[in-house]
Amino acid sequence: MTALSQTALLTELEPVVAKNLDRHLSVAKEWFPHEYVPWSEGRTFDGPLGGQPWSPQDSTVPEVARTALIVNLLTEDNLPSYHHEIATLFGRDGAWGTWVHRWTAEEGRHGTAIRDYLTVTRAVDPVALERARMTHMSAGYQNVHDDEVLHSLAYVSFQELATRISHRNTGRVTGDPACEALLARVAADENLHMVFYRNLLAAAFDLAPSQAMRAVADVLADFQMPGAGIDGFARKSVAIALAGIYDLRQHRDEVVVPVLRQWDVFTVTGLDGDGEAARDEIAGHLDDLERHASRFEEKRDARAARLATRA
Ligand SMILES: [Fe+2]
Ligand SMILES: [Fe+2]
């Protein structure tokens, strides 16, 4: 079987996009960022309006929750760059274009809501946040598979679920019910995004099983969160993992495995030699993830025990 070209894949998948776009629009709930922000807690800042400068004592949100909120917001902030990548690859015509714009509008709501919350509640330093946004957006985002439709669909299937888990768990550690409600609302959107992309790749598995399998194997092998370019990301992501907001165990068991199961990756038939090889790579990757996740959990437990004895 000859491989389908990128153009052929886009054309063949267009009716699936149209169907899932309708599905998305019928289940997505309209919501308003301003309703999730406790405006009465706000105070004017220093600067032209002569209010009070930010201080870390302004908020009781724990340090690690602040770190996760900043990472999550900067990721949402970089939206124009993601929009550019997917609009370039998927095109702006027909159902693909309608989806790309709709998705962008929804993601824009996430950034608005989280920024308003953080500014009003003074949970993070607004000057540092703005500078981080400038640095992060100035670097832009480049999809490592920017000329491969199926690779990009596989990536966003995992990535949307990863952001869902990360938003939801961040909400939990803030200790602020208002923030938890806001991030649960955002997480619900990310889940619908994941379903959309996952359904598209499921259709690709019917259409071109070996190409889809190859895409999934390649994407898992070099998977990185879109915020990986954030200043100090390595240090921040360790703190986030230690707090159980997003760690390797969650990545494996709550993101990678459930998505692979939905695609029936291990029972797909009709694979050619490379498709079979890709499937073996996926199995090997799951084993590696299991080992690394267990090792991280052991280290985290040992660290917690050490801290407890010291206290
Ligand atoms: Fe988002
Ligand atoms: Fe999303």
Side-chain angles (χ1 to χ4, degrees), residues 198-228:
R198 195 191 65 196
N199 288 349
L200 272 183
L201 200 72
F205 265 105
D206 292 337
L207 188 68
S210 296
Q211 282 174 272
M213 196 68 79
R214 172 48 58 203
V216 172
D218 288 353
V219 161
L220 285 179
D222 62 12
F223 185 86
Q224 272 202 320
M225 290 290 264

Side-chain angles (χ1 to χ4, degrees), residues 13 16 153 157 196-208 212 262-263:
L13 288 174
V16 188
L153 290 177
S157 300
F196 179 90
Y197 291 123
R198 195 191 65 196
N199 288 349
L200 272 183
L201 200 72
F205 265 105
D206 292 337
L207 188 68
Q262 285 287 328
W263 292 327

Side-chain angles (χ1 to χ4, degrees), residues 76 103 106-107 110 159-160 163 186 189-191 193-194 197:
E76 302 282 355
W103 174 86
E106 291 188 11
E107 296 292 1
H110 301 167
Q159 183 268 326
E160 292 281 2
T163 46
V186 171
D189 282 0
E190 310 295 19
N191 194 50
H193 297 161
M194 178 275 290
Y197 291 123

